[in-house]
């Protein structure tokens, strides 16, 4: 990970600091609360599954006085965590009886996976594994780029690997320079490698998981389409970076990043004295454990009967687990403890690392809570259904393929304002998911279109630490990075719209 000095330097070079996701959501909370005074309240009739019935919207008073509305604002973070929805009135409150409406399950899942990831990185296995891979391929530049991008993309699609990439610039920048490339190759390898994985998240808990929870579907729903997208878009992105790398190696004057003093003086082959330390037996055990844990998570959430039979209402097989966030949280807590035991981390070091991991992931967990708190204000003021009704006509009769493309486009500006994927999902999905019902489109396809929009924006927007911190560490100008990435962004947008349109038609 970058040092504090590097982080401060990256922050200073930003010029304009966009508010954090927590601040943005606090502003959104206040804005929605004020808006609720002016938007008429109303509701739909709902079926047994809770989905609104098209054409049944009617005006209905919210029954909230001025003091009641202030109380809703006051309690919104609490309701966002463990608010309970009364099945008769539909109201959400911490002292009601009914089903959990708050994001407590997702909240604790994020904290658990944060603790697990931090414990894994504390062992040094992940850093050393990637370092060894890079060194072994040091004389095969194109293969190095492919391997590193593939690993980063795989980590991105499985667990949202993004901010963690900031720690690899110190390793990869000098390595790609030594191979005759430029700093833009290192930047593209890291940012686009991990970013395309997050864009095509298959079971990423911070994107697909949170969005699926908010859409009230399984994490495994739609995984086939997302896996196909990941394969195709990852291949396209890797090919794009490799093509640029070969061009700049053959014609250094065509470098988009330019060359800093000393860049061209590096040897074409790294000295063997720079070889990273070898993987120990424990490091190998940790890496295998990580792979097995994520593989088991994927197995546990996929609705295998539906996936294999193609029938959405197929009866689950006897061996299906059908796990959701509470059990997944327990899985990663146990996995963190297992890694600590395997590496003989010791009680003091393990507990401090575990708690530090929880603390580092508290921010995205709180973002989820605040975003869910916004939806509780809308729910209790009964304006959610009013907003649905206002655009019901726009999607009624719209071809399913066009609807999913509209979902992708609508979410682009939202992703700019809320760069946190988990916060964006929790805020937007309660509205987008019922719209899918009206348009006759699978909610899983809407989740895919939403996360593609969020991931696409986060490949270039200056509101993310991954972009601005990354280019600062690589010493690449932002405008040059945009020039480098622009053609790929256009191609990815076309591919994404094609995939979501195809998914809507097939489902």
């Amino acid at each position: 990970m970058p040092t504090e000095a590097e982080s401060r330097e990256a922050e200073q070079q930003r010029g304009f600091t966009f508010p954090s996701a927590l601040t943005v959501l606090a502003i959104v909370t206040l804005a929605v609360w004020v808006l609720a005074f002016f938007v008429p309240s109303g509701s739909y009739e709902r079926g047994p599954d809770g989905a609104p019935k098209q054409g049944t919207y009617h005006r209905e008073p919210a029954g909230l006085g001025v003091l009641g509305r202030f109380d809703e604002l006051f309690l919104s973070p609490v309701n966002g965590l463990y608010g309970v929805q009364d099945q008769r009135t539909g109201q959400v409150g911490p002292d009601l009886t009914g089903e959990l409406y708050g994001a407590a399950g997702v909240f604790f899942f994020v904290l658990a996976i944060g603790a697990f990831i931090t414990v894994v990185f504390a062992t040094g296995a992940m850093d050393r594994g990637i370092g060894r891979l890079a060194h072994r391929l040091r004389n095969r530049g194109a293969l190095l780029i492919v391997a590193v991008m593939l690993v980063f993309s795989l980590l991105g699609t499985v667990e949202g690997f993004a901010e963690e990439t900031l720690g690899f610039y110190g390793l990869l920048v000098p390595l790609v320079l030594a191979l005759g490339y430029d700093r833009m190759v290192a930047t593209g390898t890291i940012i686009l490698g991990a970013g395309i994985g997050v864009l095509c998240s298959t079971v990423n808990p911070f994107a697909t998981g949170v969005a699926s929870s908010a859409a009230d579907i399984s994490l495994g729903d739609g995984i086939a389409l997302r896996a196909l997208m990941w394969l195709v878009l990852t291949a396209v992105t890797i090919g794009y970076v490799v093509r640029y790398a070969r061009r700049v190696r053959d014609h250094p004057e065509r470098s988009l990043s330019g060359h800093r003093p000393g860049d061209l003086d590096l040897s074409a082959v790294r000295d063997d004295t720079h070889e990273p330390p070898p993987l120990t037996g424990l490091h190998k055990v940790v890496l295998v454990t990580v792979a097995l844990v994520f593989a088991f998570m994927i197995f546990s959430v996929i609705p295998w009967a539906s996936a294999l039979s193609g029938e959405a209402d197929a009866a689950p097989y006897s061996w299906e687990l059908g796990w959701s966030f509470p059990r997944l949280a327990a899985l990663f807590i146990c996995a963190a403890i297992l890694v600590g035991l395997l590496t003989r981390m010791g009680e003091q070091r393990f507990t401090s690392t575990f708690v530090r991991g929880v603390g580092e992931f508290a921010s995205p967990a709180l973002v989820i809570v605040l975003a869910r708190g916004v939806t509780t204000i809308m729910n209790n003021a009964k304006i959610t259904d009013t907003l649905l009704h206002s655009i019901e006509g726009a999607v009624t009769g719209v071809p399913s393929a066009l609807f999913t493309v509209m979902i992708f486009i609508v979410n682009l500006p939202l992703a700019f304002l809320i760069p946190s994927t988990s916060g964006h999902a929790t805020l937007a999905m309660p509205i987008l998911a019922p719209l899918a019902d009206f348009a006759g489109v699978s909610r899983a396809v809407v989740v895919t279109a939403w996360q593609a929009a969020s991931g696409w924006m986060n490949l270039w927007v200056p509101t993310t630490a991954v972009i601005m911190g990354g280019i600062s560490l690589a010493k690449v100008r932002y405008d040059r990075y945009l020039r480098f990435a622009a053609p790929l962004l256009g191609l990815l947008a076309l591919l994404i719209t094609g995939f979501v349109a195809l998914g809507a038609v097939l489902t």
Side-chain angles (χ1 to χ4, degrees):
M1 295 300 289
T3 64
E4 291 185 10
E6 290 172 330
S7 300
R8 284 196 299 269
E9 179 185 355
E11 191 71 25
Q12 291 169 356
Q13 292 182 10
R14 247 185 239 195
F16 169 73
T17 302
F18 197 84
S20 69
L22 288 171
T23 302
V24 170
L25 282 171
I27 295 172
V28 170
T29 300
L30 186 60
V32 169
W33 179 74
V34 172
L35 183 67
F37 280 91
F38 303 98
V39 176
S41 57
S43 63
Y44 283 95
E45 295 179 8
R46 299 182 180 270
D49 58 353
K53 297 180 180 179
Q54 189 173 4
T56 63
Y57 174 81
H58 57 280
R59 294 289 177 84
E60 182 179 339
L64 294 174
V66 174
L67 291 179
R69 291 185 182 274
F70 272 100
D71 193 51
E72 291 298 328
L73 178 64
F74 181 65
L75 287 176
S76 61
V78 177
N79 283 332
L81 179 62
Y82 64 91
V84 175
Q85 185 171 38
D86 184 276
Q87 297 302 298
R88 183 179 60 83
T89 64
Q91 293 291 298
V92 176
D95 52 358
L96 299 178
T97 301
E99 294 186 1
L100 179 67
Y101 186 90
V106 185
F107 175 82
F108 285 108
F109 174 61
V110 170
L111 297 183
I113 198 172
F116 172 71
I117 291 172
T118 304
V119 169
V120 168
F121 269 93
T123 67
M126 192 71 72
D127 302 69
R128 189 171 294 187
I130 294 177
R132 293 290 301 174
L133 174 65
H135 183 78
R136 284 180 176 275
L137 300 176
R138 65 193 184 282
N139 295 325
R140 289 168 283 179
L143 189 56
L144 168 68
I145 295 171
V146 171
V148 173
M149 292 187 71
L150 189 59
V151 170
F152 281 6
S153 180
L154 180 62
L155 292 172
T157 191
V158 171
E159 58 100 350
F161 190 77
E163 287 84 358
E164 297 88 347
T165 61
L166 294 176
F168 292 97
Y169 283 89
L171 169 69
L172 288 177
V173 170
L175 180 56
V176 300
L177 290 175
L179 294 173
Y181 303 125
D182 67 355
R183 293 173 180 270
M184 191 66 77
V185 173
T187 305
T189 298
I190 297 173
I191 291 179
L192 298 178
I196 198 65
V198 176
L199 187 156
C200 302
S201 295
T202 49
V203 291
N204 173 9
F206 306 107
T208 315
V210 176
S212 298
S213 173
D216 198 25
I217 60 174
S218 165
L219 178 60
D221 287 346
I223 195 172
L225 175 64
R226 296 194 293 270
L228 180 61
M229 279 184 61
W230 178 74
L231 289 172
V232 174
L233 269 62
T234 297
V236 168
T237 303
I238 292 175
Y240 182 85
V241 176
V242 169
R243 179 175 177 270
Y244 171 82
R246 286 175 173 167
R247 185 184 72 187
V248 79
R249 183 189 58 191
D250 296 337
H251 304 282
E253 71 279 2
R254 300 182 67 182
S255 169
L256 292 178
S257 62
H259 297 281
R260 299 175 66 86
D263 284 359
L264 296 177
D265 298 333
L266 292 176
S267 171
V269 179
R270 298 192 74 195
D271 194 306
D272 285 342
T273 58
H274 292 90
E275 180 177 358
L279 286 171
T280 66
L282 280 178
H283 286 150
K284 295 176 182 178
V285 169
V286 170
L287 293 176
V288 170
T289 301
V290 171
L292 291 176
V293 168
F294 279 104
F296 182 77
M297 182 190 75
I298 295 171
F299 169 79
S300 70
V301 300
I302 293 178
W304 290 100
S306 299
L308 297 178
S309 68
E311 300 177 3
D313 57 349
Y317 296 132
S318 59
W319 45 266
E320 279 188 42
L321 296 179
W323 280 14
S324 57
F325 290 104
R327 284 183 170 80
L328 291 177
L331 168 67
F332 281 102
I333 291 174
C334 292
I337 296 172
L338 177 61
V339 170
L341 292 174
L342 290 173
T343 57
R344 299 183 179 91
M345 194 172 284
E347 186 271 338
Q348 291 286 339
R349 185 184 173 205
F350 172 77
T351 54
S352 63
T353 304
F354 189 96
V355 172
R356 176 163 55 86
V358 170
E360 290 177 353
F361 281 73
S363 179
L366 289 173
V367 163
I368 295 170
V369 170
L370 283 183
R372 185 61 62 88
V374 174
T375 66
T376 65
I377 291 176
M378 296 169 61
N379 176 84
N380 289 352
K382 296 187 178 180
I383 65 171
T384 301
D385 285 2
T386 300
L387 296 176
L388 285 175
H389 177 66
S390 66
I391 51 180
E392 178 184 348
V395 299
T396 302
V398 172
S400 57
L402 178 59
F403 172 78
T404 52
V405 173
M406 290 168 57
I407 293 295
F408 172 74
I409 295 173
V410 164
N411 276 284
L412 295 178
L414 287 176
F416 179 86
L417 293 172
I418 310 174
S420 166
T421 54
S422 51
H424 181 186
T426 310
L427 187 63
M429 205 51 62
I431 294 178
L432 299 180
L435 283 179
D437 299 335
F438 293 161
V441 175
S442 167
R443 292 190 175 197
V445 178
V446 171
V447 168
T448 301
W450 162 82
Q451 72 177 28
S454 177
W456 187 85
M457 289 294 284
N458 285 333
L459 290 177
W460 66 273
V461 294
T463 56
T464 64
V466 173
I467 298 297
M468 304 311 291
I471 63 174
S472 296
L473 291 170
K475 296 180 172 60
V476 170
R477 281 169 40 184
Y478 179 61
D479 62 314
R480 298 290 181 88
Y481 172 74
L482 288 182
R483 182 179 172 187
F484 163 74
L488 176 64
L489 292 171
L491 179 58
L492 291 177
L494 290 175
L495 291 172
I496 289 167
T497 53
F499 268 109
V500 297
L502 177 64
V505 172
L506 294 180
T507 59

